[in-house]
Amino acid sequence: MGFARTCSVALVGVEGVVVEVQADLEPGVAAFTLVGLPDKSLSESRDRVRAAVANSGTAWPSKKLTVGLSPASVPKAGSGFDLAVACAILGAAERIDPRVMVDLVMIGELGLDGRVRPVRGILPAVIAAADAGYDQVVVPECAAAEASLVPGVSVLGVRSLRQLIAVLADEPVPEEEPDDLGRPDPLMAGLRVPGTGAATGMHAAPDQGHDLADVVGQLSARTAVEVAAAGGHHLFLEGPPGAGKTMLAERLPAILPALGRQESLEVTAVHSVAGLLPPGKPMIDAAPYCAPHHSATMQALVGGGHGIARPGAVSLSHRGVLFLDETPEFSGQALDALRQPLEAGHVVIARSAGVVRFPAKFLMVLAANPCPCGRFTLADDFCECPPSAIRRYQARLSGPLLDRVDLRVQVDRVTRAQLTERGARGESTAAVADRVRAARERAAARLVGTPWRSNSEVPGRELRSRWHAERGAMDEAERGLERGVLTARGLDRVLRVAWSVADLVGHARPDATDVALALQLRTGVPRGVPMAIGGLR
């Protein structure tokens, strides 16, 4: 009779649970039993492991074999347990000393030829192992850089089961040819992330060569984009086709500050679980950008799927920008599902295999035409839509969703004079990014010692009690609340936006001008205040 154990990690969302993999060999009819609540892909590891062991030059034990995954109550999915199962079996068969594996965490899929293949979620799995007190992990060689992002953990990257057996048995390590199995495995067809070149259904991060100076005119929309970046405020752009709504949204991530290390780990963990990390770039350090097609389902937006749920667009845009172009064309059910993550900063998905929680703190940009044909604002002679069709089209965006959007801007069509005028380009991305970074630093200094880091995160009660505007500055906004123009939530959001404007212009507290600009950006009603923060060059 032989017994051995080692460890692996089961992922539930982006959180991991260390699982003890136990192997027991007893005399009897040769059989292989796997217990511990495995899913279909994990149950199939019996055939993968048997073939991998045989093709690695090691005899398969002809005894009654039982492999247990503990704790048994935790659902276990995926092929990442293959490596631990194989080594536990070889330890029970005394091919490997069982004592050398007790404190090891092994993550990786086995090919039938014994090669170790990458799996999703290496980073969150290693983080879970480190949190549980383990400091040695074994992963596929192509995922070693990703695993090494976790401090205090010793990482061994292997190409094959033969190599790992040799290392654990203190034998000469054989050479193995490298392969290209480190390519990303997209969860959703066509999804792209920063640094990749593949394309379609969900758009990639915009080309970093794009510059805000490319946008012609649109002074109010450019100001709204800058304020949105400074405070993390959601933005709604309405205007005819070709006015520049998509151009503005695509340039927004470039003016956002670079991600801190903790933020980068959060974003990288989500993309790792989705199988979307760019090859050769284990850590994402720039704000992600996700632009799903308007035909995307609710599951594609907020996450879901069969068994254990997978992250959706709101989580893939965590700490970045979620751009919904042609917003009224999205299904009402999908749009209303955004309301909970907009408020909570995370999304909770319940499935038969368990409840999953994904982070979802994103900056949302909505873009819409004024009517189905898109020409309602140009001239009555050009719009072909009946009034009833226009009302139905605009009503697709529910009031509760729009109430959660801080900035609403009308994007007018570009005139011939603006398009042909020379020397009137707007500020560059670099200039606006410097101003946004300074505004974020002012906000962070003001909020030091609190759980918040940007103006959009501060609760309304804290704003009204601790960080109020100058005396009398909010009078006009409060009158809007009395007249029903603003809701109580809307009044709080006006104050948040006013703080972002004050941070951009360097005011110690929002004054009447800052609040007036915030009101204009919130309601779209002109207040007689200049819309430019940086002006034209």
Side-chain angles (χ1 to χ4, degrees), residues 2 26 33 40 43 95 128 146 181 187 189 204 246 271 277 287 354 387 452:
E26 295 181 354
T33 305
K40 178 66 174 176
S43 297
R95 174 64 178 87
E146 179 185 345
L181 293 176
L187 169 65
T246 302
H271 285 78
L277 280 183
W452 314 296

Side-chain angles (χ1 to χ4, degrees), residues 264-391:
S264 294
L265 287 175
E266 292 175 7
V267 173
T268 304
V270 173
H271 285 78
S272 177
V273 169
L276 294 169
L277 280 183
K281 186 179 180 182
M283 178 174 280
I284 298 175
D285 54 7
Y289 174 88
C290 193
H293 191 261
H294 59 75
S295 61
T297 63
M298 183 175 68
Q299 288 75 20
L301 282 181
V302 301
H306 298 292
I308 295 180
R310 298 292 182 182
V314 297
S315 298
L316 294 171
S317 55
H318 178 59
R319 302 292 184 185
V321 177
L322 175 66
F323 177 47
L324 303 183
D325 199 6
E326 306 292 347
T327 310
E329 301 296 339
F330 284 79
S331 74
Q333 185 183 28
L335 291 177
D336 286 338
L338 297 175
R339 286 151 55 178
Q340 186 262 342
L342 282 174
E343 287 292 327
H346 62 266
V347 59
V348 178
I349 306 168
R351 290 293 183 270
S352 59
V355 178
V356 176
R357 183 181 185 274
F358 290 114
K361 289 185 178 180
F362 55 91
L363 193 164
M364 182 178 68
V365 180
L366 307 178
N369 296 325
C371 67
C373 76
R375 294 176 290 183
F376 177 62
T377 57
L378 300 183
D380 291 340
D381 293 339
F382 294 123
C383 181
E384 302 173 352
C385 306
S388 59
I390 297 175
R391 287 195 300 270

Side-chain angles (χ1 to χ4, degrees), residues 70-320:
S70 178
S73 59
V74 176
K76 303 165 190 73
S79 56
F81 292 86
D82 288 2
L83 201 58
V85 170
C87 288
I89 292 171
L90 294 176
E94 298 183 352
R95 174 64 178 87
I96 303 172
D97 186 349
R99 293 172 295 180
V100 304
M101 302 185 300
V102 172
D103 296 324
L104 286 180
V105 173
M106 303 183 186
I107 307 163
E109 176 186 330
L110 287 175
L112 299 184
D113 59 353
R115 287 189 177 272
V116 181
R117 307 185 58 161
V119 294
R120 298 175 177 181
I122 290 289
L123 177 60
V126 176
I127 291 175
D131 292 342
Y134 293 86
D135 57 6
Q136 299 181 75
V137 298
V138 180
V139 298
E141 184 185 55
C142 58
E146 179 185 345
S148 298
L149 295 174
V150 183
V153 175
S154 175
V155 178
L156 172 63
V158 295
R159 294 180 182 175
S160 68
L161 180 60
R162 285 200 310 152
Q163 286 188 335
L164 181 56
I165 293 172
V167 170
L168 296 178
D170 198 18
E171 300 171 353
V173 179
E175 289 292 329
E176 296 281 3
E177 290 294 326
D179 53 35
D180 60 350
L181 293 176
R183 295 172 298 192
D185 177 23
L187 169 65
M188 303 174 194
L191 181 60
R192 299 188 297 180
V193 294
T196 66
T200 64
M202 289 193 178
H203 298 197
D207 185 350
Q208 297 302 312
H210 290 173
D211 198 289
L212 265 176
D214 300 334
V215 180
V216 177
Q218 307 302 356
L219 183 58
S220 60
R222 287 171 57 95
T223 299
V225 166
E226 183 174 345
V227 173
H233 306 288
H234 305 306
L235 173 64
F236 176 40
L237 301 172
E238 184 179 30
K245 303 186 295 295
T246 302
M247 289 182 68
L248 288 164
E250 288 179 341
R251 285 152 179 77
L252 177 54
I255 66 175
L256 291 173
L259 300 178
R261 179 170 178 81
Q262 182 58 39
E263 294 172 333
S264 294
L265 287 175
E266 292 175 7
V267 173
T268 304
V270 173
H271 285 78
S272 177
V273 169
L276 294 169
L277 280 183
K281 186 179 180 182
M283 178 174 280
I284 298 175
D285 54 7
Y289 174 88
C290 193
H293 191 261
H294 59 75
S295 61
T297 63
M298 183 175 68
Q299 288 75 20
L301 282 181
V302 301
H306 298 292
I308 295 180
R310 298 292 182 182
V314 297
S315 298
L316 294 171
S317 55
H318 178 59
R319 302 292 184 185

Side-chain angles (χ1 to χ4, degrees), residues 3-6 19-25 31-38 42 45-46 49 60-61 64-70 76 81-82 84-90 92:
F3 177 83
R5 61 188 176 90
T6 187
V19 173
E20 188 175 273
V21 181
Q22 305 169 342
D24 178 71
L25 281 174
F32 187 172
T33 305
L34 181 65
V35 297
L37 210 59
L42 180 51
S45 68
R46 293 175 296 185
V49 168
W60 182 261
K64 180 181 179 182
L65 171 61
T66 303
V67 174
L69 308 175
S70 178
K76 303 165 190 73
F81 292 86
D82 288 2
V85 170
C87 288
I89 292 171
L90 294 176

